């Protein structure tokens, strides 16, 4: 979730960089800032993006506290190749997906995941197993890698916020925008549930610098009669000049045969 070097409406943005980021309430200026950044997003061809998460669950009765730390690393290049590494359940489960181009097999997906193919490393080639390749790409690979687009485009940030909501939840939302110069924007979103008995809160701060997404923090918390639960995610993004992605050694021994 094209290519253009035209920055729309920049002439209307008159911000003083020496004063640091300031609260902006003028909707025209906010729109100009967002449009300028969104216009540049497709020029980001090579990048590294990391997510680190910390979840804390406290049992209200026993006072037992469980802390889990997980991570995600996504690398992508201008040739459409990607590598995704992620952990879950406090690092107990690890997944590695690769998508690379290949002269012999057209494209390859490398899958090393406990939840796929009975936990066996499997490499699917598009030339001879197009159906299996496309199915895995759409159902498993893309859902875990396409979210980057929602970060790069400030107009799509609200769609990401919606992923923190459950059915039936309603929130009082406060969104503020800050900027200190052209191409720099900070968006802060604070949500508090307005449903009786629901104390869910969401806090998001996204930062853009030189027209490119720089990173964000996400805080999400709620409680029930039994537990208090909170998570904090830190996202770091780096635009790269070049990203090289290669499959792990001995990958050919894991080629999918359909058996």
């Amino acid at each position: 979730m094209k290519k253009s070097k035209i920055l729309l409406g920049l002439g209307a943005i008159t911000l003083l960089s020496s004063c640091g980021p300031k609260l902006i309430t003028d909707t025209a200026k906010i729109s100009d800032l967002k449009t300028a950044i969104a216009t540049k997003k497709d020029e980001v061809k090579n990048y590294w993006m990391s997510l680190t998460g910390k979840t804390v669950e406290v049992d209200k009765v026993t006072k037992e506290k469980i802390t889990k730390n997980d991570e995600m690393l996504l690398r992508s290049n201008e040739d459409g190749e990607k590598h995704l590494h992620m952990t879950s359940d406090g690092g107990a489960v690890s997944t590695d997906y690769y998508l690379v181009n290949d002269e012999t097999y057209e494209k390859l997906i490398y899958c090393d995941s406990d939840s796929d193919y009975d936990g066996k490393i499997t490499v699917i080639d598009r030339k001879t197993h197009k159906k299996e390749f496309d199915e895995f790409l759409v159902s498993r690979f893309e859902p875990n890698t396409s979210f980057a687009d929602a970060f790069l485009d400030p107009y799509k940030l609200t769609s990401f916020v919606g992923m923190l909501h459950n059915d039936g939840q309603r929130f009082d939302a406060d969104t503020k925008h800050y900027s200190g110069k052209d191409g720099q924007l900070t968006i802060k979103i604070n949500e508090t549930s307005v449903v009786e008995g629901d104390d869910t809160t969401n806090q998001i701060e996204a930062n853009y610098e030189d027209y490119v997404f720089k990173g964000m923090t996400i805080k999400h918390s709620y409680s029930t009669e039994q537990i208090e639960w909170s998570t904090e995610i830190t996202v770091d993004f780096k635009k790269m000049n070049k990203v090289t992605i290669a499959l792990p050694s001995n990958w050919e021994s894991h080629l999918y045969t359909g058996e």
Side-chain angles (χ1 to χ4, degrees):
M1 289 173 229
K2 282 191 172 182
K3 289 185 178 178
S4 176
K5 293 185 179 180
I6 300 174
L7 304 184
L8 304 178
L10 285 183
I13 304 174
T14 55
L15 303 172
L16 299 177
S17 59
S18 60
C19 299
K22 288 185 176 181
L23 176 65
I24 302 173
T25 57
D26 187 305
T27 56
K29 285 187 175 181
I30 293 172
S31 179
D32 284 341
L33 283 162
K34 288 184 175 181
T35 299
I37 294 169
T39 301
K40 298 279 283 187
K41 73 180 181 65
D42 289 317
E43 296 181 16
V44 181
K45 302 295 185 181
N46 303 279
Y47 63 82
W48 284 55
M49 182 166 63
S50 67
L51 292 81
T52 55
K54 178 181 179 180
T55 300
V56 179
E57 181 178 325
V58 179
D59 189 305
K60 289 183 176 180
V61 178
T62 66
K63 306 303 180 183
E64 180 184 9
K65 181 179 179 180
I66 300 175
T67 301
K68 294 182 179 180
N69 296 283
D70 284 296
E71 63 181 3
M72 173 182 285
L73 172 64
L74 175 62
R75 300 186 295 137
S76 181
N77 67 27
E78 58 193 317
D79 296 320
E81 298 176 314
K82 298 179 186 294
H83 170 223
L84 173 70
H85 169 76
M86 57 184 176
T87 67
S88 59
D89 197 20
V93 180
S94 178
T95 296
D96 275 281
Y97 290 155
Y98 291 80
L99 172 63
V100 300
N101 302 318
D102 186 84
E103 291 184 359
T104 302
Y105 298 103
E106 296 181 2
K107 292 180 181 292
L108 296 164
I109 289 178
Y110 179 103
C111 171
D112 182 1
S113 168
D114 291 339
S115 58
D116 301 298
Y117 297 105
D118 296 323
K120 297 178 181 179
I121 297 175
T122 303
V123 180
I124 315 167
D125 76 277
R126 191 174 189 275
K127 184 176 181 179
T128 56
H129 295 95
K130 184 179 183 303
K131 180 177 181 291
E132 292 81 0
F133 180 97
D134 290 345
E135 286 179 350
F136 193 93
L137 183 69
V138 172
S139 65
R140 303 292 291 167
F141 200 99
E142 289 182 344
N144 285 302
T145 59
S146 61
F147 62 89
D149 187 56
F151 296 159
L152 290 172
D153 188 340
Y155 281 114
K156 294 184 178 181
L157 190 63
T158 52
S159 66
F160 170 78
V161 177
M163 296 174 63
L164 300 174
H165 301 169
N166 294 321
D167 292 340
Q169 286 188 311
R170 301 190 308 277
F171 292 90
D172 178 16
D174 177 50
T175 302
K176 288 184 169 62
H177 301 81
Y178 302 82
S179 184
K181 60 181 180 179
D182 293 348
Q184 189 276 317
L185 177 65
T186 296
I187 303 174
K188 295 183 179 181
I189 303 173
N190 291 291
E191 294 186 327
T192 303
S193 175
V194 296
V195 177
E196 185 177 355
D198 181 8
D199 62 356
T200 301
T201 61
N202 300 311
Q203 294 177 298
I204 292 179
E205 178 175 327
N207 293 289
Y208 300 83
E209 191 75 30
D210 296 327
Y211 304 100
V212 178
F213 175 67
K214 184 179 180 180
M216 68 189 300
T217 56
I218 306 161
K219 296 180 181 179
H220 174 66
S221 66
Y222 71 89
S223 67
T224 65
E225 292 182 358
Q226 293 80 30
I227 65 167
E228 293 179 353
W229 193 91
S230 66
T231 187
E232 181 171 352
I233 300 172
T234 300
V235 184
D236 291 306
F237 187 93
K238 181 181 290 187
K239 180 182 177 181
M240 309 290 287
N241 292 324
K242 183 178 180 180
V243 174
T244 301
I245 298 174
L247 297 185
S249 61
N250 201 34
W251 61 266
E252 288 183 281
S253 65
H254 301 290
L255 279 167
Y256 176 78
T257 62
E259 297 177 355

